[in-house]
């Protein structure tokens, strides 16, 4: 949610930020609604004050034996008009809130401009992409091993689901445990086991609602979480936290559920784009002056996972046209997939500034002070477990079709060194 006061004070800056997102100026519409709502509020307050004064004047006129009928007629008119003005003020407020809720976060000044992923800027690489003669894609490897069954998943659930068996099921579990151990043991994150279903206010807070409802799975009064960013960030929903206790760092392993409404025809084979997948998430809640440094730290935490697994990757800064709705700056980590001969996203680390905090009413207060300020929130994959499994399969595939288990994972695989049919 945007700061209405800031829009009033500098509408040109607001519109410049929207222009960098490829959007038309919206300050005239916002300020017009704001002006009309404030005029209605003023009118309502004046009418309420006049109603109270008239009530006193009627009582005084009656006590003094004067004709109170003109005042009583005025009171009747006020009683008739007040509900109309109240309704008008409420409608204008709802329209303004709805408009502000639909506007994405403004990009940070150093975010590169561009319309789509082609304008993203690579900032570093780690590791050398492996040249594997006749490299196969993950689904070819998994199916040949008899440990990845898309047909069985389709019979019970339809497209974009997978059944993992035996060594691959164990590998997925090992990857998740490995990630959690590093983030909690070395990076200082607190592990959380959050709800997998949330109400609409939680999704509004993190920015998925109301604009992206079609990407969500709904069940009754709840939604299945598209990422544990939602419950982890909402741990500070409607709270005032002590500034000196920040940053708060949370991590969680959860399944994620996404309708993939805009992905028809994309990545239809394999596990790249699923309706259900496991992910280890990282969320940080910081004071405003901490978030930029925390963004760098969070990205490095995600990179550590890939480095320990020996998976080549690159880090890119997303351009203004490729960032998510709630982000003001995002780093994507893209892992090398020899079977596809390209880098693919495996983690996205975003600094949302105070955008989500305003929607959640999440604040912090320094010790001994009365004034509060909105916290900053950050989120990142640490990393997507299914995509990490894909990367391990493709980077550690052997000529005989078996998969070498990375050394860092062997303690989590009970010493297993190779996955075979």
């Amino acid at each position: 949610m945007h700061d209405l006061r800031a829009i009033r004070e500098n509408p040109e800056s607001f519109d410049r930020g929207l222009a960098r997102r490829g959007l038309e100026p919206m300050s005239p519409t916002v300020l017009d609604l704001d002006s009309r709502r404030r005029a209605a509020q003023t009118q309502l307050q004046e009418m309420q004050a006049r109603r109270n004064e008239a009530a006193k004047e009627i009582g005084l006129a009656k006590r003094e034996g004067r004709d109170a009928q003109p005042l009583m007629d005025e009171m009747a008119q006020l009683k008739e008009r007040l509900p109309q003005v109240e309704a008008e003020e409420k409608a204008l407020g709802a329209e303004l809130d709805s408009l502000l809720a639909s506007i994405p976060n403004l990009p940070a000044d150093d975010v590169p401009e561009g319309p789509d992923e082609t304008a993203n800027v690579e900032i570093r690489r780690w590791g050398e992409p492996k040249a594997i003669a006749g490299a196969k894609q993950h689904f070819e490897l998994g199916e040949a091993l008899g440990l990845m069954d898309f047909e069985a998943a389709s019979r019970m659930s339809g497209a974009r689901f997978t059944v993992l068996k035996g060594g691959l099921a164990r590998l997925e579990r090992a990857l998740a445990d490995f990630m959690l151990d590093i983030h909690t043991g070395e990076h200082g994150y607190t592990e959380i086991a959050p709800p997998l279903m949330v109400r609409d206010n939680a999704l509004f807070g993190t920015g998925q609602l109301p604009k992206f409802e079609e990407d969500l799975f709904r069940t009754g009064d709840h939604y299945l979480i598209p990422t544990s960013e939602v419950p982890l960030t909402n741990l500070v929903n409607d709270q005032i936290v002590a500034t000196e206790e920040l940053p708060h760092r949370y991590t969680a392993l959860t399944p994620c559920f996404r309708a993939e409404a805009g992905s028809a025809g994309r990545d239809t084979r394999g596990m790249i784009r699923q309706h259900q997948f496991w992910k280890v998430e990282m969320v940080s809640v910081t004071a405003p002056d901490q978030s930029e440094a925390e963004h760098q730290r969070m990205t490095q935490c995600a990179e550590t996972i890939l480095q320990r697994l020996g998976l080549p990757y690159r880090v890119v800064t997303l351009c203004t046209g490729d960032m998510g709705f709630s982000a003001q700056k995002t780093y994507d980590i893209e892992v090398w997939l020899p079977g596809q001969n390209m880098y693919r996203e495996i983690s996205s680390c975003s600094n949302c500034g105070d955008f989500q905090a305003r929607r959640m009413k999440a604040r912090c207060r320094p010790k001994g002070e009365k004034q509060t300020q909105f916290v900053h929130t950050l989120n990142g994959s640490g990393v997507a477990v299914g995509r990490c499994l894909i990367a391990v399969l493709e980077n550690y595939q052997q000529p005989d079709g078996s998969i070498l288990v990375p050394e860092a994972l062997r303690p989590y695989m009970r010493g297993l060194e190779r996955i075979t049919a």
Side-chain angles (χ1 to χ4, degrees), residues 54-190:
K56 294 178 182 178
E57 291 173 6
I58 289 170
L60 180 61
K62 288 183 175 180
R63 286 195 299 273
E64 294 177 350
R66 291 184 287 107
D67 182 10
Q69 192 59 47
L71 291 169
M72 295 173 68
D73 291 342
E74 182 186 359
M75 178 69 83
Q77 292 175 359
L78 285 170
K79 286 184 177 180
E80 182 180 352
R81 178 63 180 145
L82 267 171
Q84 299 172 4
V85 178
E86 286 176 344
E88 180 184 356
E89 188 274 335
K90 186 175 181 180
L92 287 168
E95 186 177 356
L96 178 59
D97 289 344
S98 178
L99 176 61
L100 290 173
S102 71
I103 301 173
N105 201 352
L106 302 183
D109 291 340
D110 60 347
V111 172
E113 290 191 35
D116 53 39
E117 62 185 14
T118 60
N120 294 342
V121 177
E122 181 178 320
I123 55 177
R124 59 179 173 270
R125 292 191 180 198
W126 185 92
E128 285 295 324
K130 298 179 180 180
I132 301 174
K136 295 180 179 179
Q137 295 196 53
H138 69 281
F139 51 84
E140 298 172 305
L141 296 162
E143 288 178 323
L145 289 168
L147 303 179
M148 190 177 287
D149 194 337
F150 298 101
E151 195 274 332
S154 179
R155 288 201 312 270
M156 67 180 84
S157 302
R160 299 194 186 278
F161 291 92
T162 308
V163 171
L164 297 179
K165 303 176 182 178
L168 292 190
R170 181 187 292 183
L171 179 62
E172 184 176 54
R173 177 160 49 95
L175 282 165
D177 286 345
F178 168 72
M179 295 172 195
L180 286 174
D181 283 353
I182 290 178
H183 293 320
T184 58
E186 299 181 26
H187 296 156
Y189 286 85
T190 298

Side-chain angles (χ1 to χ4, degrees), residues 181-366:
D181 283 353
I182 290 178
H183 293 320
T184 58
E186 299 181 26
H187 296 156
Y189 286 85
T190 298
E191 185 173 356
I192 302 293
L196 302 183
M197 296 191 298
V198 294
R199 295 184 296 193
D200 56 3
N201 66 297
L203 288 155
F204 177 85
T206 45
Q208 284 82 9
L209 287 180
K211 194 168 185 177
F212 303 102
E213 185 168 13
E214 65 176 4
D215 292 329
L216 304 172
F217 286 109
R218 185 168 188 169
T219 170
D221 293 333
H222 294 80
Y223 293 85
L224 297 175
I225 60 170
T227 163
S228 55
E229 168 202 344
V230 177
L232 294 183
T233 308
N234 273 278
L235 289 172
V236 293
N237 186 326
D238 202 25
Q239 300 295 304
I240 299 176
V241 297
T243 302
E244 55 271 17
E245 294 178 1
L246 298 176
H248 291 174
R249 299 185 177 115
Y250 305 116
T251 187
L253 167 68
T254 67
C256 305
F257 305 93
R258 298 185 185 176
E260 296 290 354
S263 302
R266 297 173 58 191
D267 299 309
T268 54
R269 290 210 65 189
M271 291 178 58
I272 288 285
R273 201 173 297 275
Q274 300 271 278
H275 289 309
Q276 172 189 317
F277 58 94
W278 290 93
K279 180 157 67 82
V280 172
E281 184 75 3
M282 302 176 291
V283 162
S284 294
V285 179
T286 76
D289 61 353
Q290 298 172 332
S291 65
E292 289 189 21
E294 186 71 12
H295 194 197
Q296 302 299 324
R297 182 187 190 277
M298 176 179 283
T299 305
Q300 291 165 5
C301 289
E303 290 180 66
T304 297
I305 300 299
L306 302 184
Q307 291 173 7
R308 300 281 178 88
L309 295 172
L311 297 173
Y313 66 87
R314 67 178 184 176
V315 181
V316 300
T317 304
L318 297 194
C319 71
T320 54
D322 199 31
M323 289 197 311
F325 179 82
S326 296
Q328 69 177 24
K329 186 174 183 179
T330 298
Y331 296 121
D332 265 11
I333 303 174
E334 299 176 347
V335 69
W336 177 253
L337 298 183
Q340 294 191 24
N341 195 38
M342 64 187 301
Y343 289 97
R344 296 297 302 264
E345 178 200 338
I346 194 169
S347 174
S348 194
C349 297
S350 298
N351 184 356
C352 299
D354 64 4
F355 184 80
Q356 293 177 325
R358 289 180 180 278
R359 298 168 77 99
M360 295 188 302
K361 298 179 176 61
R363 299 173 178 269
C364 61
R365 178 190 289 127

Side-chain angles (χ1 to χ4, degrees), residues 9 13 44 96 102 167 185 190 202 244 249 378 396 414 418:
E9 293 175 352
S13 176
L44 184 61
L96 178 59
S102 71
T190 298
E244 55 271 17
R249 299 185 177 115
L378 304 93
Y396 284 89
R414 300 177 187 174
R418 190 182 295 263

